[in-house]
């Protein structure tokens, strides 16, 4: 996959953190990192939601690649981050899934503040081209802005938390259906894992490893393909052969939770997600088309892409 060379040359990047956004009722300000190339204008924006326990410090392999090739990437730190240290009995815990969505919405509300916080970035963002992305728990969070709905374990209701400012997304190693598909442990400890994908109509790329055998589900690796299989509309699925939950090591350059360290797998995720985002946000289609041609028939040893057009 290293032979797939992006059509946009890499540029130096600048990263500023933490930028603090006031968040009344949250208990503490929202801490955000902004990463962008030092050159270029009309930059599309990706708002990235980290996995459970991570922070704005994570996911350098993806964030740095996207930024070096023309995106501005915004990473909030959610309340479940190990850097926050939320107590086990903190009353905010039952609604962490919803607070995460509010974090992303706050970022969208304050893009002007974030843009101004980075030297040389003012006036270079394109607020009309915004995508969300997320890994693991962050995939569900990002999915909410794309139309996914969660059966709230506290209220018993589903709520539409989609955001019209977001027009596409990338969901990486994202949990599938709840209910009987969950292990007893997951059902007890993560009652918010009851997503309804039937309302997730926005375009999205779902990335799943065919060896990501989650301890949260009784079904096996195919559980992670549910965001593609169960959602309507224009979707694509990248299946990584041999991929486990960290998809080769996307969570960081030297993270201990990576169980399937594989630089070529990370390179594929970098290039595929970048090309898809450019396609889905209307920047250009050639890179995504080329990558799909290479991966559609399943003969590539790294992975396979399948796509479903909008009805």
């Amino acid at each position: 996959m290293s032979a797939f060379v992006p059509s946009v040359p890499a540029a130096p990047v600048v990263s500023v953190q933490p930028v603090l956004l006031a968040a009344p009722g949250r208990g503490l300000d929202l801490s955000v990192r902004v990463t962008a190339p030092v050159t270029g204008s009309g930059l599309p924006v990706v708002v990235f939601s980290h996995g459970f326990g991570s922070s704005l410090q994570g996911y350098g392999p993806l964030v740095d690649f996207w930024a070096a090739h023309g995106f501005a990437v915004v990473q909030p730190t959610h309340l479940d981050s190990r850097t926050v240290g939320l107590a086990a009995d903190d009353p905010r815990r039952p609604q962490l899934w919803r607070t995460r969505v509010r974090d992303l919405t706050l970022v969208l509300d304050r893009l002007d503040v974030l843009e101004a916080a980075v030297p040389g970035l003012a006036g270079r963002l394109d607020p009309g081209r915004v995508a969300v992305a997320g890994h693991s728990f962050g995939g569900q969070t990002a999915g909410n802005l794309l139309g996914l709905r969660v059966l709230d374990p506290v209220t018993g209701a589903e709520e539409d938390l989609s955001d019209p400012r977001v027009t596409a997304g990338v969901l990486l190693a994202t949990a599938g259906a709840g209910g009987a598909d969950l292990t007893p442990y997951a059902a007890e400890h993560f009652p918010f894992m009851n997503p309804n994908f039937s309302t997730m109509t926005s375009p999205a790329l779902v990335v799943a490893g065919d060896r990501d055998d989650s301890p949260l589900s009784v079904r096996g690796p195919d559980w992670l393909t549910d965001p593609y299989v169960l959602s309507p509309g224009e979707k694509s699925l990248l299946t990584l052969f041999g991929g486990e939950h960290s998809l080769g090591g996307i969570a960081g350059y030297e993270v201990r939770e990576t169980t399937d360290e594989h630089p070529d797998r990370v390179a594929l995720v970098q290039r595929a997600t970048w090309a898809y985002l450019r396609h889905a946000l209307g920047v250009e289609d050639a890179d995504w088309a080329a990558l799909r041609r290479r991966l559609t028939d399943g003969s590539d040893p790294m992975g396979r892409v399948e796509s479903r057009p909008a009805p």
Side-chain angles (χ1 to χ4, degrees):
M1 184 39 64
S2 59
F4 179 83
V5 179
S7 61
V8 176
V13 302
V14 60
S15 186
V16 173
Q17 60 90 22
V19 183
L20 298 180
L21 299 179
R26 188 175 182 270
L28 72 162
D29 293 341
L30 180 63
S31 185
V32 181
R33 180 178 190 142
V34 184
T35 306
V38 298
T39 60
S41 60
L43 302 175
V45 178
V46 181
V47 182
F48 189 89
S49 179
H50 63 71
F52 186 86
S54 188
S55 73
L56 57 74
Q57 303 288 354
Y59 300 94
L62 288 182
V63 172
D64 293 346
F65 185 90
W66 292 341
H69 293 86
F71 285 90
V73 187
V74 184
Q75 298 172 267
T77 290
H78 300 302
L79 286 177
D80 57 82
S81 172
R82 290 183 292 270
T83 65
V84 174
L86 209 63
D89 60 352
D90 191 289
R92 290 170 289 182
R93 279 196 172 274
Q95 289 293 298
L96 279 178
W97 74 269
R98 182 183 289 272
T99 303
R100 281 173 147 263
V101 180
R102 291 191 185 118
D103 291 345
L104 301 193
T105 301
L106 179 59
V107 163
L108 295 175
D109 291 342
R110 306 305 302 276
L111 272 182
D112 57 335
V113 175
L114 298 171
E115 184 181 42
V118 181
L121 188 59
R124 296 173 53 217
L125 299 185
D126 183 351
R129 285 190 168 117
V130 178
V132 289
H135 175 240
S136 194
F137 192 8
Q140 176 175 295
T141 305
N144 276 272
L145 273 68
L146 300 172
L148 179 156
R149 298 183 185 181
V150 172
L151 183 64
D152 190 306
V154 176
T155 67
E158 286 184 5
E159 185 178 352
D160 181 7
L161 300 175
S162 61
D163 195 305
R165 294 171 291 186
V166 175
T167 54
V170 172
L171 308 184
L172 302 141
T174 299
D181 290 344
L182 298 180
T183 62
Y185 177 88
E188 177 183 356
H189 292 89
F190 307 110
F192 53 81
M193 292 180 66
N194 274 293
N196 177 3
F197 295 106
S198 69
T199 53
M200 196 176 76
T201 57
S202 296
L205 170 64
V206 176
V207 182
D210 70 356
R211 293 187 184 174
D212 187 359
D213 194 359
S214 174
L216 302 178
S217 174
V218 299
R219 279 178 43 200
D222 76 297
W223 184 58
L224 285 300
T225 68
D226 281 358
Y228 173 77
V229 174
L230 301 180
S231 63
E234 182 181 345
K235 298 290 188 299
S236 292
L237 171 66
L238 169 60
T239 301
L240 299 172
F241 300 152
E244 299 179 13
H245 199 60
S246 287
L247 307 177
I250 65 167
Y253 293 108
E254 297 178 356
V255 292
R256 285 181 292 180
E257 61 259 35
T258 298
T259 56
D260 64 329
E261 186 174 4
H262 199 304
D264 286 344
R265 186 171 297 132
V266 174
L268 172 53
V269 177
Q270 289 171 328
R271 288 153 176 77
T273 54
W274 172 83
Y276 176 80
L277 286 167
R278 283 170 58 84
H279 154 75
L281 293 177
V283 179
E284 63 84 31
D285 292 320
D287 286 291
W288 177 240
L291 194 142
R292 284 184 62 197
R293 284 194 299 270
R294 180 168 179 169
L295 296 176
T296 295
D297 65 4
S299 63
D300 192 290
M302 295 301 299
R304 178 184 65 249
V305 167
E306 54 192 285
S307 296
R308 182 178 67 237

